[in-house]
Amino acid sequence: MAFTPSQNQLAAQVLSALPFPRPVGLGAHRYTDREVTPLVLSQNVPNPHEGETVIPFTLLYAADVRLEIFDLLGRKMAAVVRKGLSSGEHHIQLNLRGLCLPEGDYPYQLQVTSAYGVQSLTRVMTLTLDTAE
């Protein structure tokens, strides 16, 4: 499999000790002690938010993606599935206003399934309520 220069740069940025296969053919980049993480999950923007937010992430490989949002008791509040995403930068836009969630912190987990396995990363978003009505 051949990688483009931008994928080479991305691979260099997402080194990790997680158990995923090392990519082949990355030009001058040779990974001996660490392996490539196929996912970068960024913090949602804006954070805190009043119900609408965007979750950016980057995939090194084509994959199916599942985003789940939980309350602090571990109950699933919402889920979004995106199938067949290509490698590169992506985002999921959320409008949580219709869920009538109370103010607070909500962990979100992005699970990626690719030909190289399954990986998930978690961050926390903060929901605030608009008091000016």
Side-chain angles (χ1 to χ4, degrees):
M1 172 175 12
F3 288 91
T4 66
S6 64
Q7 287 173 315
N8 283 343
Q9 291 172 342
L10 179 60
Q13 294 173 2
V14 295
L15 284 178
S16 175
L18 295 173
F20 286 90
R22 292 183 178 102
V24 180
L26 289 178
H29 301 289
R30 298 287 179 235
Y31 303 106
T32 56
D33 60 338
R34 302 182 90 185
E35 296 175 345
V36 174
T37 302
L39 169 65
V40 175
L41 175 60
S42 300
Q43 186 64 48
N44 65 298
V45 186
N47 191 43
H49 64 91
E50 295 176 355
E52 293 185 23
T53 190
V54 174
I55 298 176
F57 59 96
T58 304
L59 301 173
L60 185 58
Y61 306 112
D64 294 336
V65 171
R66 179 178 185 84
L67 173 70
E68 295 179 325
I69 301 166
F70 301 92
D71 67 9
L72 292 178
L73 297 175
R75 297 177 295 199
K76 189 186 317 178
M77 300 286 104
V80 177
V81 175
R82 298 282 190 263
K83 297 228 178 229
L85 293 181
S86 62
S87 63
E89 296 179 5
H90 300 275
H91 68 275
I92 295 177
Q93 188 165 353
L94 297 173
N95 184 341
L96 302 175
R97 289 190 172 137
L99 296 178
C100 299
L101 298 173
E103 279 190 338
D105 293 332
Y106 292 87
Y108 60 96
Q109 179 179 47
L110 192 71
Q111 181 181 38
V112 172
T113 304
S114 72
Y116 298 99
V118 178
Q119 181 193 16
S120 63
L121 294 175
T122 303
R123 301 273 184 269
V124 176
M125 68 174 72
T126 301
L127 176 66
T128 60
L129 297 179
D130 184 11
T131 57
E133 293 185 4

